[in-house]
Structures are given as structure tokens and as C-alpha cells.
Amino acid sequence: MTQRRFLQLDVFADRPGAGNPLAVVIDADGLDTATMQAFANWTNLSETIFLLPPGPGADYRVRIFTPRQELPFAGHPSVGAAWAAIDSGLVDAGAASLMQDCAAGHLPVQAAPDRTIRVRAPKARRAAPPTDWEARLAAALDGVERGPLPAALWDNGPRWWLVELADEAAVRALVPDLAAITALTADAAVGLAVFANADAGHDYDVVVRAFCPADGIPEDPVTGSANAAIGAALFEAGRVAPGSHYVASQGREVGRDGRVDVQVDADGEVWIGGRVQAVVRGTVTW
């Protein structure tokens, strides 16, 4: 059987054991969709990616799977894919800019000399919610004090329910009703993301948590696509200016305390970035 290079990374992490774990199969050409999905189910991580030869105009191609489905875009897999493509020699190690080919299209990537990676997320847009969404959202967040930004469904490849809570304490203390969140998201979104401005005196500006029980992920450690959608929502509301950036904290409640750098460029496009740690290097036979 064919042996392929394999990595397990921690993305949005300043040390191993932080951020969001990601399984990476390099040299994945020849694996079909069913095989990729079966392997992603076996790893049982929030996402597993497969690096493939690129199409025209791109430097590498990536396919992204949760244990249950393929995603057109996801943030920590995209950051991890760029890091892995450089680390494995699929692209020039000195490249400062790359183009990722994924199901959501071609996405620009920036690579700093210290290999901090930034990916421009697909443009987020509001999506039409189901007709009974208000009752389902109320059940999912029963008794939770919300912030000023109205709850909305946003689409930047995956769809996310975004709900601002009153403050950092409300986000940190939230005990998720996973059955109610499943009912909210099962037919409309990959998950529910809650966020709030951080208390003063931290090394981050926004606190985030994301729940995806319908996809087999009760709480995702650090979620690039949700953070990108939140950045777009804050930009639309005039709370983030073009050319600015902020740092989001996510994952503390599941022991993974990650950091996501969220940038809004002069054109209003949202970039997400962070550091990556290699934890496992080896080969896989499947």
C-alpha cells in the first residue's frame, strides 16, 4: 500500500498543545473523496486536510474534511495548509505570498519570515435564515445576556450563526445546550459562534467560542472561518476600520487557548492569521 507523508499540527498556537489540531496528508493525489472522508472520520479531529497538485494559477490545492463532511473553506485548515505546503517543500520555502486552491476558489496567502501565515477569507455575506430561527435561537441561548449587534446568519463558505454576548464573562461562562444548538444549526449552518469584547488588560481584544454539535464537534477549539465572519460583521457595523486588526482569544474553555489575528484590509477584505506548531511527523498508510 502507498505510504504518504503525514503531519499533525496545532494551528493558531504559540506552543504545542494550544490552538486547534489539524491532520495533514501530504502527497494525497490518488485518494478519492470517500477515502478522504473515511480517513477524516478516523482521525476524529475537527478537520483533516489533503494536499494535492494545484490547478492553474495556484501554488497548492487543499481539500478540507470534518469527520462528517467536506467544507469549501475553513480557517485553521487553510492556515495549516499553507504552513504544511512550505514545510514539506511543495512550494518555495522563501515565498512571501502564495495562492491556495480550494473548493471556495483561489485564496491569497501571506507567509512571514517566521512562518506566521495569513489567509484572505472568502467574502462573508449575510444569509437568509430559516423561518423559525428566532425561536430556535432563543432556545439555544436561553437566559444568556446578548450584546448590541443583532444575531445573524453569515456565509463565507461555511455558514455560521453569529451572536454577540454582553461581555467576556458571558462568553466564558456559557454552558452550551448542545441539543438546542443542534436544532438551530442542523439545516442552516455549520455552527453557532458567540463573541464579545474582551475585558481590559489582556493580550487579546475579542473573545470567541464556537459550537458545532450537528457536525460531531461539541466545541471547536479555534475557528478561523467563524472569526473571519465575525470580523466581517464588525466591519459592516462600523466597529472595525479598514486597515486595522485585532486579536481574538478562543479555546480556553477546552484547554487550547489559541490566538487569531484578524485583519481588515483597505478594501474591507478579512484576513485571518496565526502561528503553527508541528506536533507529529510521520507517514500514513490507508
Side-chain angles (χ1 to χ4, degrees):
M1 297 181 70
T2 302
Q3 285 194 334
R4 305 171 194 272
R5 290 179 287 170
F6 176 82
L7 293 171
Q8 186 164 316
L9 307 177
D10 282 338
V11 181
F12 301 128
D14 62 0
R15 65 190 186 283
N20 202 346
L22 176 71
V24 183
V25 178
I26 305 164
D27 315 313
D29 200 23
L31 296 176
D32 61 20
T33 298
T35 302
M36 292 181 184
Q37 185 64 76
F39 184 74
N41 180 265
W42 178 80
T43 68
N44 200 34
L45 297 178
S46 58
E47 276 102 1
T48 297
I49 63 171
F50 300 85
L51 294 178
L52 298 154
D59 294 291
Y60 62 92
R61 181 183 173 212
V62 61
R63 294 182 69 180
I64 304 166
F65 290 80
T66 75
R68 298 187 182 182
Q69 64 176 319
E70 184 172 7
L71 298 179
F73 166 75
H76 98 274
S78 294
V79 169
W83 192 97
I86 295 170
D87 182 77
S88 63
L90 296 182
V91 301
D92 182 1
S97 61
L98 299 168
M99 187 65 71
Q100 173 173 294
D101 180 3
C102 62
H106 284 185
L107 303 179
V109 176
Q110 297 173 346
D114 66 354
R115 253 197 248 174
T116 297
I117 302 294
R118 292 180 176 84
V119 178
R120 194 184 75 190
K123 193 170 185 64
R125 295 177 173 83
R126 289 175 178 268
T131 54
D132 59 345
W133 70 272
E134 290 174 311
R136 286 197 270 175
L137 184 62
L141 293 173
D142 185 31
V144 178
E145 187 178 358
R146 299 191 202 173
L149 198 67
L153 184 64
W154 284 79
D155 186 335
N156 61 359
R159 289 186 173 189
W160 286 97
W161 278 107
L162 304 183
V163 182
E164 183 178 26
L165 301 189
D167 51 28
E168 178 170 353
V171 174
R172 298 289 188 199
L174 177 66
V175 178
D177 182 333
L178 296 178
I181 294 173
T182 298
L184 170 68
T185 61
D187 60 351
V190 71
L192 165 68
V194 298
F195 64 97
N197 287 334
D199 296 338
H202 295 304
D203 66 344
Y204 53 87
D205 309 290
V206 172
V207 59
V208 176
R209 293 176 70 186
F211 307 98
C212 312
D215 208 32
I217 305 163
E219 180 164 357
D220 195 40
V222 193
T223 317
S225 60
N227 273 283
I230 291 166
L234 293 174
F235 173 73
E236 182 190 79
R239 289 168 51 180
V240 176
S244 66
H245 80 103
Y246 65 86
V247 176
S249 164
Q250 187 183 349
R252 181 183 300 177
E253 289 71 25
V254 290
R256 303 289 304 193
D257 207 13
R259 297 290 185 274
V260 183
D261 188 77
V262 182
Q263 298 185 347
V264 179
D265 66 20
D267 298 320
E269 300 286 353
V270 178
W271 295 69
I272 52 168
R275 298 177 61 189
V276 178
Q277 309 294 325
V279 181
V280 177
R281 295 178 181 274
T283 58
V284 60
T285 301
W286 189 260

